[in-house]
């Protein structure tokens, strides 16, 4: 019996099915090599083995193609997702972090990072890192040309190295090498973030705005596909940066447009408000409003308080009261601010407020003080300055009207002084028609400034009267007469002739710019009485010159015994009371004899010995009494001028008592 026939050699079909299963399951490439080996162990024939090996090679090709397709699909998906991020997100940091993270995943590297230039520092810095563990590496800064990244930024081309530590193509620095070593990086790929073509490079590479890196901690060679993929991601990152810059520029432009629109609206509002203010101020002027009403209206518009000052910085006189004064220090500070406003031609700061000079050409008419507003915008400042112009207009109109009226009243005063007895009733009636009640008590002032200053003094007198605001229904008058200027002032309660003359001398001197001597007569009423008061005032002026008191102001009552001689009334009792009053009162109260002792002392030529014989007292008694006289009359009682007045008063007292 013959041996059984051997089983047929296995064919290629099982192996081919196995290869198809591996392709379907996506097995690793190593699994494909096991299929021919198994067929060989199973005794497959040469033809079958050849077919199986050919099919295995073809399956590996298909496997690689499918892998490439899957990888390409993943890359395209990543690029699509990145593009979606660019379209959907306005957060630049979020987009850059996503790009760096995808670069790390797609290239399968240990780390990925992105550097951007610092225009201020002139180098580049780490903007985003993914997979980094070293703080030193994360804070690296690279100068242009340093390291792999510096070369990429300088040349605008990709660079890769399988081992950065030993690659001599790059400029190594201690800080960069230390950071790379601490991170443990070996293989590095860097590609530029490019914008445009030829924006800054002559060869058309484009403008580098950053560098994208992928790095491994093991030696590795990067394929051209990986370089291209990283370049694509870098292009998306460049677009993100460009979009963010464009968005920032757009926002800046919108902000500028909004600011410009705000300015335009504010300007339009200011113009509209200026028109309203102009109409309001014009209406006030046409209705005949005074300076105080204009100031009150502007103060309401500005939300502050406005005070009016004259050319010398003093407040205008209140109704029924004389001219008020500002403290010396405050007046000096205000004068400085007014001068600055006058020089600059605009309102200036003054303390916590503002000052605006009121000008008519170069003539200073006064100033406006605004308080309660530390800051003024341009519109409010122009409003305040416009108030100064309107105030100047009102002051000029008021002064022009006053000067016209003043000339007519001046003619009345001239006629009164020239011929008071010609027709007193007609003068009184004429005065009433002009608002000057000559039957009312008046002070008469005679002012002199020398031949050179007469014309300036006349104008100063007009300004002086213009600045006064006496009691209601009373008007002051001035006129040039006999080389002097005569002022007729309604007498006011509490305002004596002496004080009025002295104050007028000071103010007229400031207004005229030269010394002014003023004599006062009166109070007097009626044409004859006023003419007599004028004569007395003129004599006082001559007496002041004779006494060397040019530039001073006084009345007969304040000139001592000269006043007795100059005054028409020869007020002996008043002179005696003013000169010897303290001694007379002391003798009457204490029963002493100070007046008798003083008379004896002068009668004996100032001899204490002869005086004690005349009085029949001890010399010490005379000395003690004279000491008391000094206490009561002052230390200058025995001076030449004072002694003369005392002797005249003693003689007049003796005569008046028989």
């Amino acid at each position: 019996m013959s041996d059984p026939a051997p089983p047929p050699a296995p064919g290629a079909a099982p192996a081919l099915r196995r290869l198809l299963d591996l392709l379907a399951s996506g097995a690793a490439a190593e699994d494909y090599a096991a299929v021919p080996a198994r067929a060989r162990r199973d005794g497959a024939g040469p033809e079958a083995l050849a077919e199986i090996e050919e099919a295995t090679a073809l399956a590996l090709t298909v496997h690689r193609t499918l892998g490439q397709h899957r990888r390409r699909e993943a890359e395209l998906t990543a690029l699509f997702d990145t593009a979606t991020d660019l379209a959907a997100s306005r957060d630049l940091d979020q987009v850059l972090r996503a790009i760096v993270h995808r670069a790390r995943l797609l290239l399968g590297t240990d780390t990925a990072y992105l550097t951007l230039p610092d225009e201020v520092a002139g180098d580049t810095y780490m903007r985003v890192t993914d997979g980094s563990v070293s703080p030193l590496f994360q804070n690296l800064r690279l100068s242009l040309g340093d390291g792999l990244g510096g070369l990429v930024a300088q040349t605008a081309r990709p660079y890769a190295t399988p081992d950065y530590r030993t690659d001599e193509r790059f400029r190594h620095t201690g800080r960069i090498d230390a950071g790379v070593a601490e991170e443990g990086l070996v293989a590095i790929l860097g590609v530029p973030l490019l914008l445009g073509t030829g924006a800054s490079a002559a060869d058309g590479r484009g403008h580098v705005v950053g560098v994208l890196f992928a790095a491994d901690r093991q030696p590795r060679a990067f394929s051209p596909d990986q370089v291209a993929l990283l370049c694509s991601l870098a292009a998306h990152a460049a677009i993100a940066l460009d979009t963010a810059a464009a968005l920032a520029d757009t926002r800046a432009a919108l902000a500028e447009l909004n600011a410009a629109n705000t300015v335009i609206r504010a300007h339009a509002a200011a113009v509209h408000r200026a028109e309203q203010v102009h109409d309001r101020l014009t209406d006030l002027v046409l209705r005949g409003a005074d300076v105080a009403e204009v100031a009150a209206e502007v103060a309401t518009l500005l939300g502050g308080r406005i005070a009016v000052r004259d050319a010398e910085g003093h407040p205008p006189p209140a109704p029924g009261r004389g001219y008020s004064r500002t403290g010396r220090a405050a007046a000096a500070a205000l004068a400085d601010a007014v001068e600055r406003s006058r020089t600059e031609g605009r309102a200036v700061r003054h303390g916590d407020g503002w000052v605006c000079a009121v000008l008519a050409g170069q003539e200073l008419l006064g100033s406006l003080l605004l308080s309660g507003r530390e800051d003024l915008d341009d519109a409010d400042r122009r409003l305040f300055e416009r108030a100064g112009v309107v105030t100047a207009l009102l002051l000029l109109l008021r002064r022009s009207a006053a000067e016209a009226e003043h000339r007519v009243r001046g003619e009345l005063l001239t006629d009164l002084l020239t011929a008071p007895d010609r027709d007193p009733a007609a003068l009184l009636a004429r005065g009433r028609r002009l608002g000057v009640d000559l039957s009312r008590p008046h002070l008469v002032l005679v002012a002199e400034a020398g031949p050179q200053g007469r014309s300036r003094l006349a104008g100063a007198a007009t300004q002086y009267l213009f600045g006064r605001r006496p009691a209601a229904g009373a008007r002051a008058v001035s006129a040039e007469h006999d080389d002097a200027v005569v002022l007729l002032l309604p007498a006011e309660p509490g305002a004596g002739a002496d004080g009025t003359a002295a104050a007028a001398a000071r103010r007229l001197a400031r207004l005229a710019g030269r010394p002014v001597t003023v004599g006062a007569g009166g109070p007097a009423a009626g044409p004859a009485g006023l003419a007599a008061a004028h004569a007395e005032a003129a004599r006082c002026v001559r007496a002041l010159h004779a006494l060397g008191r040019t530039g001073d102001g006084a009345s007969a009552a304040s000139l001592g015994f000269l006043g007795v001689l100059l005054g028409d009334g020869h007020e002996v009792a008043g002179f005696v009371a003013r000169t010897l009053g303290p001694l007379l009162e002391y003798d009457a109260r204490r029963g002493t004899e100070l007046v008798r002792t003083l008379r004896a002392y002068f009668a004996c030529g100032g001899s204490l010995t002869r005086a004690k014989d005349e009085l029949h007292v001890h010399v010490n008694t005379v000395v003690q009494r004279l000491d008391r006289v000094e206490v009561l009359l002052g230390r200058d009682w025995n001076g030449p001028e004072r002694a003369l007045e005392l002797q005249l008063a003693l003689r007049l007292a003796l005569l008046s008592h028989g």
Side-chain angles (χ1 to χ4, degrees):
M1 184 173 178
S2 62
D3 294 332
L16 294 178
R17 285 196 298 270
R18 176 61 180 165
L19 289 174
L20 290 174
D21 289 340
L22 292 176
L23 286 173
S25 63
E30 294 80 4
D31 295 338
Y32 291 85
V35 174
R38 182 175 180 180
R40 192 176 292 111
R41 286 195 306 269
D42 292 342
E47 293 181 0
L49 285 175
E51 184 179 356
I52 292 171
E53 288 177 352
E54 183 179 354
T56 301
L58 183 60
L60 286 173
T61 301
V62 173
H63 177 269
R64 285 194 298 272
T65 302
L66 290 175
Q68 290 176 352
H69 283 303
R70 284 194 294 269
R71 186 171 63 253
R72 180 62 62 184
E73 182 181 1
E75 293 173 357
L76 291 175
T77 301
L79 293 176
F80 178 78
D81 291 342
T82 303
T84 303
D85 291 342
L86 290 175
S89 177
R90 294 185 179 180
D91 187 343
L92 177 63
D93 287 336
Q94 180 180 344
V95 173
L96 294 180
R97 283 195 297 269
I99 291 173
V100 171
H101 180 69
R102 289 176 184 134
R104 178 189 173 200
L105 293 179
L106 292 174
L107 271 69
T109 57
D110 296 321
T111 63
Y113 49 96
L114 180 120
T115 61
L116 295 179
D118 187 334
E119 301 294 342
V120 177
D123 58 9
T124 60
Y125 66 98
M126 292 285 186
R127 177 64 182 268
V128 180
T129 63
D130 190 80
S132 173
V133 296
S134 168
L136 177 61
F137 180 78
Q138 294 167 10
N139 292 283
L140 275 180
R141 300 187 75 93
L142 292 77
S143 299
L144 188 64
D146 289 346
L148 185 148
L151 189 59
V152 172
Q154 187 177 35
T155 62
R157 291 173 178 167
Y159 277 89
T161 176
D163 191 345
Y164 177 80
R165 298 167 297 181
T166 61
D167 199 330
E168 298 299 330
R169 293 178 299 164
F170 313 115
R171 184 189 303 165
H172 290 265
T173 66
R175 181 171 178 80
I176 296 175
D177 288 352
V180 171
E182 183 171 302
E183 189 64 53
L185 300 181
V186 177
I188 303 176
L189 168 62
V191 298
L193 277 63
L194 297 175
L195 284 179
T197 56
S200 63
D203 57 2
R205 291 192 300 266
H207 176 56
V208 178
V209 295
V211 179
L212 179 61
F213 299 86
D216 251 339
R217 296 188 174 94
Q218 299 295 329
R220 170 180 175 175
F222 293 95
S223 67
D225 288 343
Q226 291 174 326
V227 174
L229 174 60
L230 195 61
C231 286
S232 298
L233 291 172
H236 283 84
I239 294 173
L241 291 170
D242 188 46
T243 302
L247 183 59
D249 292 342
T250 302
R251 288 173 177 169
L254 288 175
E256 291 179 0
L257 288 175
N258 287 334
N261 191 31
T262 300
V263 171
I264 292 173
R265 286 199 301 267
H267 180 70
V271 170
H272 180 65
R273 185 186 183 202
E275 291 177 352
Q276 291 180 321
V277 170
H278 178 76
D279 294 342
R280 177 60 181 156
L281 294 180
T282 302
D283 181 63
L284 286 174
V285 173
L286 294 178
R287 287 195 295 104
D290 59 15
V291 173
E293 291 180 85
V294 172
E297 181 67 23
V298 176
T300 301
L301 294 171
L302 292 177
R305 298 177 299 279
I306 291 183
V308 182
R309 295 291 184 268
D310 65 10
E312 297 180 52
H314 304 307
R321 292 189 295 177
Y323 189 83
S324 58
R325 292 179 57 81
T326 302
R328 182 175 300 177
L334 177 59
D336 179 68
V338 171
E339 184 60 29
R340 284 191 290 115
S341 175
R342 180 180 186 176
T343 302
E344 298 176 17
R346 59 190 182 92
V348 299
R349 291 297 301 267
H350 174 58
D352 295 334
W354 296 79
V355 167
C356 182
V358 178
L359 302 173
Q362 294 300 315
E363 181 185 358
L364 180 65
L365 302 180
S367 58
L368 298 180
L369 279 66
L370 174 63
S371 58
R373 284 290 303 272
E374 293 188 8
D375 297 316
L376 286 181
D377 57 25
D378 290 341
D380 284 349
R381 189 168 180 168
R382 287 193 296 271
L383 169 57
F384 184 43
E385 292 165 352
R386 184 173 299 175
V389 175
V390 174
T391 301
L393 175 62
L394 290 177
L395 290 176
L396 285 176
L397 291 174
R398 177 182 166 193
R399 190 169 72 180
S400 297
E403 288 175 349
E405 295 179 359
H406 191 72
R407 284 193 295 271
V408 178
R409 297 191 186 97
E411 295 173 358
L412 168 66
L413 180 56
T414 300
D415 293 344
L416 172 66
L417 300 178
T418 303
D421 298 327
R422 181 178 302 168
D423 192 348
L427 288 174
L428 290 172
R430 183 176 164 192
R432 283 192 294 271
R433 288 196 301 271
L434 296 176
V436 181
D437 187 359
L438 298 179
S439 64
R440 175 177 179 168
H442 285 73
L443 291 177
V444 180
L445 305 184
V446 174
E448 287 187 357
Q452 306 298 326
R454 181 177 175 184
S455 60
R456 297 180 64 178
L457 178 58
T462 302
Q463 287 183 263
Y464 171 71
L465 297 183
F466 180 71
R468 288 176 56 88
R469 190 178 294 171
R475 296 193 179 186
V477 186
S478 71
E480 296 182 59
H481 184 72
D482 290 341
D483 297 327
V485 174
V486 180
L487 296 90
L488 189 65
L489 308 179
E492 300 179 12
D498 193 55
T500 302
R506 291 191 298 268
R507 179 151 171 75
L508 288 173
R510 288 194 297 270
L511 294 173
R514 59 189 306 118
V516 177
T517 306
V518 178
L530 293 173
H534 167 261
E536 181 177 319
R539 290 194 294 270
C540 286
V541 171
R542 292 194 296 272
L544 288 171
H545 287 309
L547 293 172
R549 293 173 59 182
T550 298
D552 199 357
S555 65
S558 64
L559 292 177
F561 72 93
L562 284 178
V564 175
L565 299 177
L566 296 172
D568 286 341
H570 300 297
E571 189 186 9
V572 174
F575 172 70
V576 172
R578 288 192 299 272
T579 307
L580 299 176
L583 303 184
L584 294 171
E585 293 177 4
Y586 192 88
D587 284 348
R589 190 170 62 254
R590 300 291 185 90
T592 55
E593 295 184 339
L594 297 184
V595 174
R596 180 168 173 264
T597 301
L598 189 60
R599 184 182 296 115
Y601 173 75
F602 284 130
C604 295
S607 171
L608 296 176
T609 303
R610 293 171 56 191
K612 62 98 176 175
D613 293 337
E614 178 73 20
L615 296 170
H616 304 290
V617 296
H618 194 275
V619 67
N620 290 340
T621 302
V622 177
V623 172
Q624 292 172 359
R625 291 178 179 178
L626 293 179
D627 287 343
R628 177 56 59 183
V629 169
E630 180 175 328
V631 171
L632 295 174
L633 298 183
R635 292 185 177 183
D636 64 337
W637 71 272
N638 205 15
E641 184 176 343
R642 188 76 182 278
L644 178 60
E645 289 189 358
L646 288 172
Q647 292 180 64
L648 179 59
L650 290 169
R651 183 62 57 88
L652 292 174
L654 185 62
L655 293 174
S656 63
H657 289 83

